[in-house]
Amino acid sequence: MFWLFLAAIGAWFYFGDPPKDVANQFWKNDAAPWETVDAYYYPNRNDLSQHQKMTGLSSVEDCRNWVRSVAARNGDSGVLRGDYECAIEVVDTFGGLFVYRVTTR
């Protein structure tokens, strides 16, 4: 039974993505300690082609703080005209697009 357990764990590491699986289980809407967060601020919520970005933040709270400071500098202290998202951990890329484990606000 012990060897079966070890084989299952080995298969999980070989075929799966243990850090992502653990993060999905315990940090559904926040960054796990080993993950980074990218912040995206859109000054005009009706035109998402224009944005400002900060990468490598350590938490969603750091993302929100950065967004609030950038929005305030743009005269949108309540983030009423703009919008934002906090993107947690790049898991794949597709051309010039990043695919994240999860995005949140």
Side-chain angles (χ1 to χ4, degrees):
M1 188 63 145
F2 177 72
W3 295 109
L4 183 61
F5 176 73
L6 285 181
I9 295 295
W12 179 40
F13 273 84
Y14 186 76
F15 294 110
D17 189 352
K20 181 179 163 189
D21 295 339
V22 171
N24 283 336
Q25 185 66 33
F26 296 104
W27 292 278
K28 291 181 185 347
N29 291 312
D30 204 352
W34 57 86
E35 294 180 315
T36 60
V37 178
D38 294 346
Y40 291 87
Y41 170 68
Y42 307 97
N44 179 351
R45 69 177 53 235
N46 297 316
D47 179 13
L48 301 182
S49 67
Q50 302 297 315
H51 68 274
Q52 295 177 27
K53 177 181 176 181
M54 171 63 77
T55 61
L57 300 170
S58 61
S59 70
V60 171
E61 190 57 37
D62 289 347
C63 170
R64 292 175 184 142
N65 290 336
W66 179 81
V67 166
R68 282 192 284 267
S69 69
V70 171
R73 278 185 266 148
N74 285 323
D76 186 19
S77 60
V79 192
L80 300 174
R81 291 188 320 259
D83 203 358
Y84 73 96
E85 62 186 342
C86 301
I88 303 168
E89 194 64 20
V90 175
V91 293
D92 201 0
T93 58
F94 184 73
L97 300 175
F98 296 106
V99 179
Y100 292 91
R101 179 176 67 84
V102 68
T103 58
T104 188
R105 292 192 78 216

